Structures are given as C-alpha cells and as structure tokens.
Amino acid sequence: MDASRDLSSAAHWATIRPGLIRVPDPHASPMQGEQTASPVVAYGTDMPANAYIPPHTHRRAQLLHATAGVMLIRAENGSWVVPPGCAVWVPPAVFHDIRMANQPVAMRTIFVEPGLRPSLWPHCQVIEVSPLLLQLILAATGLPLDYPGGGRAERIMTLILDEIEAATPLALHVPMPAHPGLLERCRALIAAPAQAVSLAAWAQDMHMHPRTLARLFQRETGLNFGNWCRRTRLLLAVPMLVSGASVLEVALAHGYDSPSAFSATFRQHFGQPPSAYQQGRASASRR
C-alpha cells in the first residue's frame, strides 16, 4: 500500500464505537522513533481505557506490546487481538488503527528500520512474547532514543530482533473480506457479536445460493463461514476476559447460550480454558 496515501482515505473502514476516547497517535512524532539515527529504538506510553488511535501509518515497522491491558489492532485486511503476553508486528506503511480495551494499556513499541531484517513478516502478525523478549523490551524502553552505537544498548536492540525472529506466531487474526457485501456483514457481526447469524440468512440477504456464498466466503477470507464467526467471537471475547468479566457475561455477550459451550470452544481454539486466560495472561503482564 502506498504510504503517501492520505489518512482520510482509510476512513471507510475506521469506525469509532460509542464510548471510545479518540487520542492522537503517540508515535507520530519523528523524535519518538521514526527518524532516529539508530535503526532500532523503543518507546513507551500509557494509554487510558477505551482510548482509540485513528488510522495512521509509519515509515518504520513496529512491534506493539502491552505489558498491561489489551489492544485491538485493525488494518484493511483484518483485525488482531493483542492480550498481555503477546505482541503484534506491523510492517512499514501499513494503515492501521488501535483500540484499547476497557482498561488502561501500558503500550511498549519497538521501531525497526525498513529492510533491517528481511525475514520478518510482510504482514501483520501476532507473536508470543517470551520472558526474555519481555525483559528486553522493558530494558529497551528505558534507553534514550539517541543511544550510542557499539555498546550495551545496541546489543539489546539486536537481541530483540533475534527474539522477534524466533517468536512463536499466534492465530489471533480475523481476516476480512474485500467483497463489499460480505465486508458489511462481517463488520456488523464484529460490532454486535451476540447477534444470531447463519450462512442461509446472509445468502438470502445477498441474493445468492448458500453454496455460492460459502465458496465466496472461503475464497475471500481463507476460512469457512462457521470457522470465521467462531474465531471472530472468541478473539473479541479476550478483552472482556482479561478485564475481569465473568465467563457467563462473556459467553452471553458473544452469542453463546451457555458458559459451558463457550468454555469448550474457547479451550479447543486456545488450548486453555477462559479462566486460565483471565488469570494466566494477567499474571504474565506483571512479570
């Protein structure tokens, strides 16, 4: 995507939900990581609950990590949920917005000069933050942006890149279709995940045969309809879980009739029950 494109042209996918607090991009200043002499720098900022950073892009790649709180990153081709213990890689020149869940977020960012590590992802990707990577990020945010080369600071930044390359990718991504009719309906489900949906109903609304819509959905998102809806609801449930909502509250808010059905599906997708995510991820953020 052309990085020179005006931000306003991304407004067709950037909607602000009621209750969100619109804030300026805290990383927009060149003095905060975009134009430094060092090719890798770290920057930390604390964001209030429900803060919203509108669509923007960066010349440099970013690794976005929250040592506390949950972020939701959205670009034109999908959305990524980033709970504590995880980070998202955002390549250079990718338009994206950032929403904080309903609790404060301690955002820590690593800026990386384009092309410095060609092996890193050309697309947004959520990764697991190892204990070593977490400590390196915390150490890096305590360094000046104009740190001298050839010393400890440079070695920390080099090791951060090594750890990003070695990190485990996580399936915390909701791919979005390009087809206008599908995109409209997918956005509606994301905005109100408790609503009942079915392939047959969507097909009727779009004047398609259900089999035709099923093929279109698979082609546009890489997932079948049921898997896409299930993944979307589960990922949207993570911020509520981390913020302390009960499993019952979260289940009902995301279209499940019972907490047991939600818990079973959650465990199947994440390999852990919702209660472990509530406690384990929260404790990881305090390490």
Side-chain angles (χ1 to χ4, degrees):
M1 187 179 296
D2 182 2
S4 65
R5 193 178 75 170
D6 188 89
L7 290 181
S8 63
S9 63
H12 67 283
W13 56 266
T15 56
I16 301 179
R17 292 174 58 185
L20 294 184
I21 304 168
R22 187 184 179 105
V23 298
D25 172 20
H27 307 135
S29 169
M31 293 305 294
Q32 294 176 339
E34 288 277 52
Q35 305 288 347
T36 60
S38 302
V40 186
V41 294
Y43 178 76
T45 186
D46 295 331
M47 305 295 293
N50 297 311
Y52 174 76
I53 301 174
H56 62 282
T57 187
H58 293 282
R59 188 185 67 81
R60 285 180 166 175
Q62 294 175 278
L63 184 75
L64 292 168
H65 171 63
T67 58
V70 176
M71 297 182 292
L72 294 94
I73 314 296
R74 184 171 53 171
E76 287 190 320
N77 64 335
S79 299
W80 293 260
V81 175
V82 191
C86 303
V88 64
W89 173 259
V90 181
V94 170
F95 277 87
H96 61 285
D97 64 9
I98 306 173
R99 178 166 67 88
M100 317 303 154
N102 56 343
Q103 58 185 161
V105 172
M107 184 188 296
R108 304 296 179 257
T109 302
I110 305 297
F111 284 100
V112 181
E113 185 69 15
L116 192 62
R117 290 288 178 104
S119 61
L120 292 175
W121 302 274
H123 52 78
C124 294
Q125 176 63 58
V126 176
I127 63 171
E128 183 175 0
V129 174
S130 68
L132 175 56
L133 181 55
L134 173 60
Q135 293 304 318
L136 289 168
I137 291 172
L138 295 178
T141 54
L143 298 172
L145 295 177
D146 58 349
Y147 62 84
R152 172 179 175 270
E154 186 174 284
R155 291 193 293 272
I156 287 174
M157 298 304 183
T158 299
L159 188 51
I160 284 176
L161 296 181
D162 292 341
E163 286 299 298
I164 295 172
E165 285 185 316
T168 301
L170 300 174
L172 296 176
H173 171 221
V174 177
M176 298 296 284
H179 185 281
L182 276 184
L183 181 59
E184 178 184 356
R185 286 158 180 80
C186 287
R187 286 174 177 161
L189 179 61
I190 290 172
Q195 65 179 287
V197 295
S198 70
L199 182 68
W202 282 23
Q204 183 176 10
D205 289 345
M206 297 175 67
H207 307 290
M208 288 184 181
H209 192 280
R211 285 197 295 271
T212 302
L213 179 58
R215 289 193 295 268
L216 174 65
F217 204 99
Q218 180 78 41
R219 186 169 65 248
E220 289 279 320
T221 67
L223 298 172
N224 66 42
F225 178 80
N227 285 341
W228 187 92
C229 293
R230 185 161 46 252
R231 180 187 288 191
T232 298
R233 284 170 163 154
L234 290 174
L235 296 186
L236 291 174
V238 170
M240 279 190 70
L241 287 170
V242 175
S243 67
S246 71
V247 174
L248 174 60
E249 290 174 316
V250 176
L252 295 178
H254 293 85
Y256 287 84
D257 295 330
S258 70
S260 60
F262 170 75
S263 295
T265 306
F266 193 95
R267 181 191 287 271
Q268 185 178 32
H269 184 83
F270 290 104
Q272 299 180 87
S275 57
Y277 220 80
Q278 287 173 305
Q279 299 164 10
R281 290 299 186 186
S283 63
S285 72
R286 293 191 292 269
R287 286 182 299 187

